[in-house]
Amino acid sequence: MADDKPNCKVVLANNIAKSLLAEVHEGLQKIDRKPLLVGFLSSSDPAARVYAEWTGKTANENGFAFQLREIDRELLEDALIDANNDPAVDGIIVYYPIFGNRQDQYLQQIVSIDKDVEGLSHQYIFNMYQNIRFLDLANTKKSVLPCTPLAVIKILEYLRIYNTILPYGNRLHGRTITVINRSEVVGRPLAALLANDGAHVYSVDIADVQVFTRGEGIRKRRHEVHEKPGLAIENCLPLSDVVISGVPGDKYKVPLHLLKDGAVCINFSSERNFTPEVKERASIYVPAIGKVTIVVLLRNLLRIVQNKIEAAAEASQEKPTEEKAVQATT
């Protein structure tokens, strides 16, 4: 008798996080101290506090130091400047939302690029959208990417949605992906990253649908965005190999009857955007990504510390050369 149970594989974030943590631990062994991450909590949002607590727990359990500083939001700007100037602080994370408007975007730019573990500084955001993957011309120092979008990328790599036979940077060629959410913090950056890696991305928001793509045959160097008047989620889901949803409202649910049979479904909202019946149609379902996001945050911190150590080593090598040049001219 045939087995009527769904063949969907449910993949938990904890299992994916473990593989990333091994990479982080290897990098930490080459550093002779615990990198210090300072978190700033100026929000009454319960989700922000939970995220802060998870961050501290994961950091402390994995060889990092963590301090949570609860600051009145009107004093946060000065507190960030102080942390920028404190040599003991290696990384800074701010738990948003705070003001819930453009002032939050301003605060993101206060954090020094040398301590911005969230990848929200202008240079990092510019690099991400322009598909510039390194900070230096020698391509040795990788740029830092926003944590939640990067966590989704790492999940897709773990699930082997990325085709490793193809060249790095083109490994989503042939994949059609729908991202439901176009926030400036997660949805839009995620659509850009996926398209920069070669995917054809439908970016679905409450008002419209946009397509992010590097063109036919991925001939463009970076993604372009095309408005698609008249297109709706009903047109996108049946074509999509992967559906990624992050709608914050508890009432929104992805219309499962529109899913392509065997689609990969990932939820990055704090709410469940997929009902349990998703397992009847999806081949793989990732119900939450929070633990991966925190490990990616620590990975970003490690990268910042490594960049700092390499910069100091390069400066010390240049100094004797400069001294010799001075001696030769005297």
Side-chain angles (χ1 to χ4, degrees), residues 21-201:
L21 273 174
E23 176 190 335
V24 171
H25 290 159
E26 184 180 348
L28 265 182
Q29 290 174 2
K30 301 174 184 177
I31 298 173
D32 60 358
R33 62 182 179 82
K34 288 186 175 184
L36 172 60
L37 175 63
V38 174
F40 287 92
L41 184 62
S42 302
S43 170
S44 59
D45 184 352
R49 181 170 292 278
V50 169
Y51 186 24
E53 291 171 353
W54 280 5
T55 307
K57 184 174 184 295
T58 308
N60 290 322
E61 288 176 349
N62 290 282
F64 295 83
F66 179 77
Q67 292 178 8
L68 181 62
R69 300 179 184 177
E70 299 195 40
I71 306 288
D72 183 276
R73 67 181 189 173
E74 299 299 340
L75 304 175
L76 179 58
E77 182 176 350
D78 288 339
L80 290 174
I81 294 170
D82 289 342
N84 285 341
N85 295 327
D86 185 349
V89 177
D90 294 297
I92 296 170
I93 176 172
V94 182
Y95 296 100
Y96 297 101
I98 297 168
F99 293 94
N101 54 31
R102 288 181 63 86
Q103 195 165 347
D104 283 7
Q105 296 175 26
Y106 167 71
L107 290 170
Q108 290 168 7
Q109 303 312 313
I110 293 291
V111 178
S112 167
I113 188 173
D114 298 322
K115 301 188 179 187
D116 176 18
V117 297
E118 296 181 277
L120 299 177
S121 298
H122 172 74
Q123 186 64 57
Y124 290 144
I125 296 296
F126 176 83
N127 284 3
M128 178 189 67
Y129 282 119
Q130 292 292 317
N131 201 16
I132 299 171
R133 302 188 181 224
F134 294 88
L135 293 171
D136 60 331
L137 294 176
N139 289 353
T140 60
K141 297 181 178 64
K142 279 192 173 182
S143 196
V144 171
L145 295 171
C147 296
T148 302
L150 181 55
V152 175
I153 297 297
K154 290 300 173 184
I155 289 168
L156 292 175
E157 289 179 348
Y158 178 90
L159 299 177
R160 311 228 174 137
I161 304 302
Y162 275 72
N163 186 348
T164 55
I165 294 175
L166 296 175
Y168 176 73
N170 293 344
R171 291 178 173 174
L172 287 179
H173 187 198
R175 299 291 191 187
T176 300
I177 300 175
T178 290
V179 177
I180 307 170
N181 171 303
R182 203 184 304 136
S183 69
E184 295 299 329
V185 177
V186 184
R188 188 187 297 275
L190 176 57
L193 288 171
L194 296 169
N196 282 342
D197 279 339
H200 183 93
V201 182

Side-chain angles (χ1 to χ4, degrees), residues 290-307:
K291 291 185 178 179
V292 179
T293 301
I294 293 173
V295 175
V296 165
L297 177 75
L298 297 180
R299 187 174 176 269
N300 280 354
L301 174 58
L302 178 62
R303 175 160 291 163
I304 284 172
V305 173
Q306 289 169 333
N307 286 347

Side-chain angles (χ1 to χ4, degrees), residues 243-286:
V243 177
I244 305 165
S245 186
V247 179
D250 61 351
K251 292 184 170 47
Y252 178 78
K253 303 298 176 188
V254 175
L256 300 183
H257 68 284
L258 297 173
L259 289 178
K260 181 179 180 180
D261 191 35
V264 172
C265 296
I266 299 172
N267 178 70
F268 69 82
S269 172
S270 57
E271 305 288 347
R272 294 299 170 107
N273 286 179
F274 297 90
T275 62
E277 291 73 24
V278 67
K279 290 178 279 189
E280 300 290 337
R281 296 187 67 86
S283 59
I284 299 173
Y285 173 47
V286 182

